Amino acid sequence: MQKVVSGIRPTGNLHLGNYFGAVKSFVQMQNEYDCLFFIADWHSLTTHPKPENIRRSTRTILAEYLACGIDPDKAAIYVQSDVKQVLELYLYLNMNAYLGELERVTSFKEKVRKQPDNVNAGLLTYPSLMAADILMHKADKVPVGKDQEQNMEMARLFARRFNRIYEVEYFKEPESFHFNQKAVKVPGLDGSGKMGKSEGNAIYLCDDEATIRKKVMRAVTDSGPTEPNQQKPEPIQNLFTLMEIVSAPDTYNFFNDQYNNMAIRYGDMKKQLAADINDFCAPIRERILAYSADEEYLAKVARLGAEKAAESAQKTIEEVRHIIGFR
Ligand code: AMP
């Protein structure tokens, strides 16, 4: 079975955009591939998080991914810092990574521009840590968004370079897996653009019913269509797109017809949309609460995931040591 490795950035709660844009695909992937999902807590240190934030976000991610349907019997879900072998491979890869090429990585240049006071070596070597995570398990496929494509090219470059330096055919070049192209883009509620945490326009899977209703009722609309079958402006299209994602087709068609007949009442549409979003989120929310309250279970899932990940990691690191010349 082909192996899929994917990192999860510990950046807080999952929203509908994360679910429909990524997590839902992960849940499907675990049936077709040998999946390893890891919480990238070492990567997160580049922004100097507080210890309690690291602890909390690790627990949150575990609970939320399990609630979304990641099944620890099918996929390994582990915490990056539990698999120490990665650090050793990171060191070896760094020895063959050059300052010039690391400095040319677009995401690094962006960080330099955005946070000039914190241009640390971890940021610079982010691609070698990511490559270590992937190459460690000889991943065939890595699900990534467009923004990660350059880091994937670096991972392939490091794999080829290692093979060339040591005259071996050891690491295979991991493929990028662009499931995002097929996944829907979930719009925000503020009239334009996509749903995102930093955009402040997100509905989170853990939001309660009242919060969901409040957020949806506040969504930007206009004064309504002025002629039949008019093209929808972006804020209105966004509401319809959300409805297409979470509501029944009949519901969507009903409001779409109303729009086309200029009979739409946005208040009614929003009430329906809020109810449908809540129906979608409620069972996930309940599972999030249940898993979050069961620290023992979360610890067990992370331990089993780490054990599975450490198995292939240990094998790789022993072979790599041998290739490099350590006995
Ligand atoms: P982020 O936490 O913003 O880095 O998002 C993690 C992943 O969730 C991204 O790589 C996307 O695959 C997915 N995602 C985030 N926001 C959206 C959205 N509004 N629509 C679709 N997918 C999204």
Side-chain angles (χ1 to χ4, degrees):
M1 208 193 276
Q2 284 204 309
K3 227 173 199 188
V4 165
V5 174
S6 183
I8 301 163
R9 266 178 288 203
T11 52
N13 300 96
L14 291 174
H15 52 69
L16 288 174
N18 298 132
Y19 181 82
F20 288 103
V23 183
K24 194 177 167 199
S25 305
F26 288 174
V27 173
Q28 283 162 356
M29 262 183 244
Q30 66 184 352
N31 297 316
E32 295 161 47
Y33 300 96
D34 181 10
C35 289
L36 293 144
F37 300 122
F38 66 92
I39 300 168
D41 58 348
W42 272 327
H43 278 289
S44 79
L45 294 182
T46 56
T47 58
H48 303 159
K50 298 246 183 317
E52 63 268 25
N53 288 347
I54 295 191
R55 277 191 286 271
R56 186 158 22 88
S57 63
T58 300
R59 271 204 310 272
T60 302
I61 289 174
L62 272 175
E64 296 200 345
Y65 273 75
L66 295 173
C68 288
I70 296 294
D71 177 351
D73 287 332
K74 293 181 183 166
I77 180 157
Y78 65 97
V79 182
Q80 185 185 32
S81 62
D82 281 343
V83 182
K84 311 286 187 284
Q85 291 89 342
V86 171
L87 281 186
E88 190 171 337
L89 186 56
Y90 172 52
L91 181 137
Y92 298 147
L93 295 178
N94 270 336
M95 297 299 168
N96 302 329
Y98 297 100
L99 183 61
E101 64 192 2
L102 293 171
E103 280 176 335
R104 279 194 298 276
V105 173
T106 311
S107 49
F108 175 71
K109 289 197 285 196
E110 239 167 62
K111 294 280 189 217
V112 172
R113 204 161 33 81
K114 280 196 195 149
Q115 49 182 70
D117 299 332
N118 181 21
V119 185
N120 58 64
L123 276 180
L124 183 73
T125 57
Y126 194 100
S128 24
L129 183 53
M130 179 163 153
D133 288 317
I134 297 165
L135 300 181
M136 189 56 127
H137 303 296
K138 315 264 179 62
D140 297 284
K141 288 184 157 70
V142 182
V144 285
K146 273 221 158 59
D147 57 325
Q148 292 291 319
E149 193 41 48
Q150 205 179 6
N151 285 333
M152 283 303 296
E153 275 165 30
M154 297 296 280
R156 290 189 278 267
L157 174 71
F158 294 149
R160 281 197 301 276
R161 188 176 287 157
F162 182 93
N163 292 348
R164 201 188 59 235
I165 292 175
Y166 295 105
E167 298 178 352
V168 287
E169 275 304 322
Y170 185 69
F171 285 123
K172 69 171 138 193
E173 294 185 39
E175 237 179 82
S176 307
F177 188 25
H178 293 290
F179 66 85
N180 282 34
Q181 283 163 354
K182 278 182 272 157
V184 282
K185 189 173 270 173
V186 180
L189 292 166
D190 49 355
S192 70
K194 63 173 204 166
M195 185 176 285
K197 187 180 147 121
S198 43
E199 282 74 17
N201 62 5
I203 295 179
Y204 293 94
L205 299 177
C206 62
D207 279 347
D208 61 25
E209 188 171 7
T211 307
I212 293 173
R213 199 174 333 113
K214 210 160 76 193
K215 287 181 177 177
V216 175
M217 296 316 282
R218 271 205 314 252
V220 176
T221 50
D222 60 14
S223 50
T226 51
E227 45 188 280
N229 303 312
Q230 191 180 308
Q231 200 186 347
K232 300 180 184 88
E234 194 180 2
I236 307 305
Q237 182 54 52
N238 286 354
L239 280 182
F240 274 94
T241 304
L242 272 171
M243 190 167 245
E244 207 172 3
I245 293 169
V246 296
S247 304
D250 282 353
T251 308
Y252 174 86
N253 291 337
F254 173 79
F255 286 101
N256 196 40
D257 289 345
Q258 287 218 319
Y259 184 87
N260 288 334
N261 300 331
M262 304 192 310
I264 185 103
R265 287 160 58 150
Y266 292 130
D268 292 348
M269 181 181 177
K270 286 177 174 178
K271 265 188 215 143
Q272 182 68 47
L273 180 60
D276 291 345
I277 292 177
N278 185 59
D279 284 349
F280 171 79
C281 290
I284 299 181
R285 182 170 65 224
E286 277 162 30
R287 289 195 295 269
I288 292 175
L289 292 173
Y291 284 128
S292 303
D294 194 346
E295 281 205 32
E296 216 172 296
Y297 179 69
L298 293 183
K300 186 176 144 203
V301 168
R303 195 182 63 245
L304 290 176
E307 277 170 15
K308 188 169 168 206
E311 233 173 81
S312 62
Q314 187 56 31
K315 182 166 180 292
T316 301
I317 215 67
E318 280 170 19
E319 289 165 352
V320 166
R321 282 172 168 226
H322 182 80
I323 291 169
I324 290 180
F326 293 134
R327 290 290 178 272

